[in-house]
Amino acid sequence: MAILLGKDGLVLSADSRGTIGDPRRLTAINDSMRKLFKLNEYAGIVTYGQAELAAQMIVEVQKEVGPDVKIPSLTDVARQVLRSRFQEWFKNVAVDGRPVLGFILGGIDEKGAPRAYYLSSPLDFAPQLVTTGVALGGVPQYATYLAHRLYNPEMTRQNLLALAIYLISETATQDPKVGGPIRAAEIPVDGKYS
């Protein structure tokens, strides 16, 4: 998963591979997982961890997000919903037995600037502002190295899109937990998610 911020907006991208089983042993894969979701014209979200559970959590967030809500207000709404549902659904599960869910929320703020936030279950979905312009999740080791070498905050969405796809596809050549079709979306500084 990657969200990249640039001078004219941002790009969200995700692979579609889900893995089943202990990664140290035999696993099965499913390359039809959906990990990229639209929240409104100004924001989208990518997820990593338990894909089916994360998808349901995003459905819950989508019910509460208005069409004109921008970041960071949208981040507050997402956190409230994620915390509430996670606590409700897993109240009888020991903390160390709860699934790990990670989200990266990206969008445009009230001033027309692109922003991104990490929200993860181990940190009680506390919003973590992305200050580097690059937000990576899932299996980020290879993408982190490449992003540090190739990313520039002055890049256009067109260049960011190419870089995001490269980061995921290159990671897929090195780690079998990443793969399948790559989905991507762009959000310009004036909104209009596509």
mmCIF file of all heavy atoms in Angstrom, residues 42-65:
data_model
loop_
_atom_site.group_PDB
_atom_site.id
_atom_site.type_symbol
_atom_site.label_atom_id
_atom_site.label_comp_id
_atom_site.label_asym_id
_atom_site.label_seq_id
_atom_site.Cartn_x
_atom_site.Cartn_y
_atom_site.Cartn_z
ATOM 1 N N TYR A 42 -12.794 13.944 -1.828
ATOM 2 C CA TYR A 42 -11.571 14.540 -1.289
ATOM 3 C C TYR A 42 -10.657 13.553 -0.577
ATOM 4 O O TYR A 42 -9.573 13.932 -0.140
ATOM 5 C CB TYR A 42 -11.928 15.667 -0.307
ATOM 6 C CG TYR A 42 -12.760 16.743 -0.948
ATOM 7 C CD1 TYR A 42 -14.146 16.766 -0.774
ATOM 8 C CD2 TYR A 42 -12.174 17.720 -1.736
ATOM 9 C CE1 TYR A 42 -14.916 17.746 -1.371
ATOM 10 C CE2 TYR A 42 -12.933 18.698 -2.344
ATOM 11 C CZ TYR A 42 -14.305 18.713 -2.154
ATOM 12 O OH TYR A 42 -15.067 19.686 -2.756
ATOM 13 N N ALA A 43 -11.088 12.314 -0.441
ATOM 14 C CA ALA A 43 -10.291 11.383 0.358
ATOM 15 C C ALA A 43 -10.521 9.930 -0.028
ATOM 16 O O ALA A 43 -11.596 9.552 -0.497
ATOM 17 C CB ALA A 43 -10.605 11.568 1.843
ATOM 18 N N GLY A 44 -9.493 9.140 0.217
ATOM 19 C CA GLY A 44 -9.553 7.696 0.035
ATOM 20 C C GLY A 44 -8.756 7.032 1.141
ATOM 21 O O GLY A 44 -8.095 7.693 1.946
ATOM 22 N N ILE A 45 -8.824 5.711 1.179
ATOM 23 C CA ILE A 45 -8.150 4.974 2.243
ATOM 24 C C ILE A 45 -7.638 3.657 1.684
ATOM 25 O O ILE A 45 -8.288 3.036 0.840
ATOM 26 C CB ILE A 45 -9.119 4.768 3.444
ATOM 27 C CG1 ILE A 45 -8.395 4.279 4.681
ATOM 28 C CG2 ILE A 45 -10.277 3.875 3.066
ATOM 29 C CD1 ILE A 45 -9.230 4.385 5.962
ATOM 30 N N VAL A 46 -6.452 3.256 2.130
ATOM 31 C CA VAL A 46 -5.904 1.941 1.803
ATOM 32 C C VAL A 46 -5.733 1.178 3.107
ATOM 33 O O VAL A 46 -5.622 1.772 4.187
ATOM 34 C CB VAL A 46 -4.558 2.026 1.033
ATOM 35 C CG1 VAL A 46 -4.757 2.640 -0.333
ATOM 36 C CG2 VAL A 46 -3.501 2.779 1.814
ATOM 37 N N THR A 47 -5.717 -0.138 3.020
ATOM 38 C CA THR A 47 -5.670 -0.958 4.214
ATOM 39 C C THR A 47 -4.675 -2.099 4.080
ATOM 40 O O THR A 47 -4.386 -2.545 2.972
ATOM 41 C CB THR A 47 -7.067 -1.506 4.541
ATOM 42 O OG1 THR A 47 -6.990 -2.263 5.745
ATOM 43 C CG2 THR A 47 -7.601 -2.378 3.434
ATOM 44 N N TYR A 48 -4.173 -2.535 5.215
ATOM 45 C CA TYR A 48 -3.317 -3.712 5.269
ATOM 46 C C TYR A 48 -3.637 -4.472 6.550
ATOM 47 O O TYR A 48 -4.235 -3.934 7.476
ATOM 48 C CB TYR A 48 -1.833 -3.338 5.188
ATOM 49 C CG TYR A 48 -1.376 -2.313 6.189
ATOM 50 C CD1 TYR A 48 -0.807 -2.702 7.399
ATOM 51 C CD2 TYR A 48 -1.498 -0.962 5.931
ATOM 52 C CE1 TYR A 48 -0.388 -1.764 8.328
ATOM 53 C CE2 TYR A 48 -1.070 -0.012 6.855
ATOM 54 C CZ TYR A 48 -0.514 -0.422 8.046
ATOM 55 O OH TYR A 48 -0.099 0.514 8.962
ATOM 56 N N GLY A 49 -3.285 -5.737 6.566
ATOM 57 C CA GLY A 49 -3.649 -6.599 7.700
ATOM 58 C C GLY A 49 -4.771 -7.524 7.259
ATOM 59 O O GLY A 49 -4.803 -7.985 6.125
ATOM 60 N N GLN A 50 -5.704 -7.790 8.134
ATOM 61 C CA GLN A 50 -6.837 -8.672 7.855
ATOM 62 C C GLN A 50 -7.774 -7.990 6.852
ATOM 63 O O GLN A 50 -8.607 -7.163 7.232
ATOM 64 C CB GLN A 50 -7.582 -8.963 9.149
ATOM 65 C CG GLN A 50 -6.744 -9.628 10.193
ATOM 66 C CD GLN A 50 -6.876 -11.120 10.141
ATOM 67 O OE1 GLN A 50 -7.840 -11.657 9.620
ATOM 68 N NE2 GLN A 50 -5.903 -11.811 10.670
ATOM 69 N N ALA A 51 -7.654 -8.335 5.579
ATOM 70 C CA ALA A 51 -8.335 -7.599 4.502
ATOM 71 C C ALA A 51 -9.859 -7.591 4.614
ATOM 72 O O ALA A 51 -10.489 -6.553 4.436
ATOM 73 C CB ALA A 51 -7.909 -8.143 3.143
ATOM 74 N N GLU A 52 -10.462 -8.734 4.892
ATOM 75 C CA GLU A 52 -11.928 -8.774 4.956
ATOM 76 C C GLU A 52 -12.462 -7.944 6.122
ATOM 77 O O GLU A 52 -13.448 -7.222 5.978
ATOM 78 C CB GLU A 52 -12.431 -10.220 5.081
ATOM 79 C CG GLU A 52 -12.116 -11.100 3.895
ATOM 80 C CD GLU A 52 -10.782 -11.822 4.003
ATOM 81 O OE1 GLU A 52 -9.988 -11.525 4.904
ATOM 82 O OE2 GLU A 52 -10.536 -12.699 3.172
ATOM 83 N N LEU A 53 -11.814 -8.052 7.251
ATOM 84 C CA LEU A 53 -12.224 -7.274 8.416
ATOM 85 C C LEU A 53 -12.002 -5.785 8.162
ATOM 86 O O LEU A 53 -12.859 -4.955 8.466
ATOM 87 C CB LEU A 53 -11.449 -7.722 9.657
ATOM 88 C CG LEU A 53 -11.745 -6.965 10.940
ATOM 89 C CD1 LEU A 53 -13.224 -7.049 11.307
ATOM 90 C CD2 LEU A 53 -10.873 -7.511 12.071
ATOM 91 N N ALA A 54 -10.868 -5.445 7.563
ATOM 92 C CA ALA A 54 -10.586 -4.044 7.248
ATOM 93 C C ALA A 54 -11.621 -3.491 6.279
ATOM 94 O O ALA A 54 -12.079 -2.349 6.430
ATOM 95 C CB ALA A 54 -9.187 -3.910 6.672
ATOM 96 N N ALA A 55 -12.018 -4.286 5.292
ATOM 97 C CA ALA A 55 -13.034 -3.837 4.334
ATOM 98 C C ALA A 55 -14.350 -3.535 5.043
ATOM 99 O O ALA A 55 -15.007 -2.528 4.758
ATOM 100 C CB ALA A 55 -13.238 -4.888 3.243
ATOM 101 N N GLN A 56 -14.741 -4.372 5.984
ATOM 102 C CA GLN A 56 -15.973 -4.119 6.729
ATOM 103 C C GLN A 56 -15.847 -2.872 7.593
ATOM 104 O O GLN A 56 -16.786 -2.089 7.705
ATOM 105 C CB GLN A 56 -16.355 -5.314 7.606
ATOM 106 C CG GLN A 56 -17.641 -5.136 8.365
ATOM 107 C CD GLN A 56 -18.837 -4.855 7.459
ATOM 108 O OE1 GLN A 56 -19.008 -5.494 6.423
ATOM 109 N NE2 GLN A 56 -19.656 -3.885 7.827
ATOM 110 N N MET A 57 -14.685 -2.670 8.173
ATOM 111 C CA MET A 57 -14.466 -1.460 8.973
ATOM 112 C C MET A 57 -14.604 -0.218 8.095
ATOM 113 O O MET A 57 -15.184 0.787 8.512
ATOM 114 C CB MET A 57 -13.078 -1.491 9.619
ATOM 115 C CG MET A 57 -12.888 -2.607 10.626
ATOM 116 S SD MET A 57 -13.690 -2.285 12.187
ATOM 117 C CE MET A 57 -12.393 -1.461 13.055
ATOM 118 N N ILE A 58 -14.115 -0.286 6.873
ATOM 119 C CA ILE A 58 -14.215 0.857 5.963
ATOM 120 C C ILE A 58 -15.668 1.102 5.565
ATOM 121 O O ILE A 58 -16.103 2.250 5.459
ATOM 122 C CB ILE A 58 -13.300 0.669 4.749
ATOM 123 C CG1 ILE A 58 -11.837 0.748 5.211
ATOM 124 C CG2 ILE A 58 -13.577 1.725 3.679
ATOM 125 C CD1 ILE A 58 -10.829 0.345 4.182
ATOM 126 N N VAL A 59 -16.440 0.044 5.378
ATOM 127 C CA VAL A 59 -17.877 0.204 5.106
ATOM 128 C C VAL A 59 -18.519 0.980 6.250
ATOM 129 O O VAL A 59 -19.348 1.874 6.028
ATOM 130 C CB VAL A 59 -18.561 -1.168 4.907
ATOM 131 C CG1 VAL A 59 -20.079 -1.044 4.946
ATOM 132 C CG2 VAL A 59 -18.109 -1.803 3.597
ATOM 133 N N GLU A 60 -18.136 0.665 7.474
ATOM 134 C CA GLU A 60 -18.669 1.373 8.640
ATOM 135 C C GLU A 60 -18.263 2.852 8.610
ATOM 136 O O GLU A 60 -19.074 3.723 8.924
ATOM 137 C CB GLU A 60 -18.184 0.713 9.931
ATOM 138 C CG GLU A 60 -18.600 -0.737 10.100
ATOM 139 C CD GLU A 60 -20.095 -0.907 10.275
ATOM 140 O OE1 GLU A 60 -20.717 -0.099 10.984
ATOM 141 O OE2 GLU A 60 -20.646 -1.868 9.704
ATOM 142 N N VAL A 61 -17.026 3.140 8.223
ATOM 143 C CA VAL A 61 -16.555 4.527 8.125
ATOM 144 C C VAL A 61 -17.318 5.265 7.028
ATOM 145 O O VAL A 61 -17.761 6.406 7.213
ATOM 146 C CB VAL A 61 -15.032 4.584 7.867
ATOM 147 C CG1 VAL A 61 -14.584 6.001 7.532
ATOM 148 C CG2 VAL A 61 -14.263 4.045 9.065
ATOM 149 N N GLN A 62 -17.504 4.613 5.877
ATOM 150 C CA GLN A 62 -18.198 5.246 4.751
ATOM 151 C C GLN A 62 -19.608 5.692 5.120
ATOM 152 O O GLN A 62 -20.101 6.698 4.607
ATOM 153 C CB GLN A 62 -18.235 4.296 3.547
ATOM 154 C CG GLN A 62 -16.898 4.136 2.873
ATOM 155 C CD GLN A 62 -16.889 3.026 1.838
ATOM 156 O OE1 GLN A 62 -17.530 1.980 1.996
ATOM 157 N NE2 GLN A 62 -16.142 3.233 0.764
ATOM 158 N N LYS A 63 -20.275 4.962 6.015
ATOM 159 C CA LYS A 63 -21.626 5.331 6.446
ATOM 160 C C LYS A 63 -21.644 6.680 7.166
ATOM 161 O O LYS A 63 -22.670 7.354 7.189
ATOM 162 C CB LYS A 63 -22.188 4.268 7.406
ATOM 163 C CG LYS A 63 -22.477 2.935 6.784
ATOM 164 C CD LYS A 63 -22.945 1.967 7.865
ATOM 165 C CE LYS A 63 -23.076 0.553 7.353
ATOM 166 N NZ LYS A 63 -23.428 -0.382 8.451
ATOM 167 N N GLU A 64 -20.521 7.048 7.778
ATOM 168 C CA GLU A 64 -20.460 8.251 8.608
ATOM 169 C C GLU A 64 -19.802 9.452 7.933
ATOM 170 O O GLU A 64 -19.819 10.540 8.484
ATOM 171 C CB GLU A 64 -19.708 7.935 9.905
ATOM 172 C CG GLU A 64 -20.301 6.792 10.705
ATOM 173 C CD GLU A 64 -21.718 7.066 11.178
ATOM 174 O OE1 GLU A 64 -22.021 8.226 11.514
ATOM 175 O OE2 GLU A 64 -22.534 6.116 11.202
ATOM 176 N N VAL A 65 -19.212 9.252 6.770
ATOM 177 C CA VAL A 65 -18.457 10.320 6.105
ATOM 178 C C VAL A 65 -19.372 11.093 5.164
ATOM 179 O O VAL A 65 -19.992 10.520 4.274
ATOM 180 C CB VAL A 65 -17.268 9.730 5.312
ATOM 181 C CG1 VAL A 65 -16.599 10.799 4.470
ATOM 182 C CG2 VAL A 65 -16.271 9.105 6.261
#
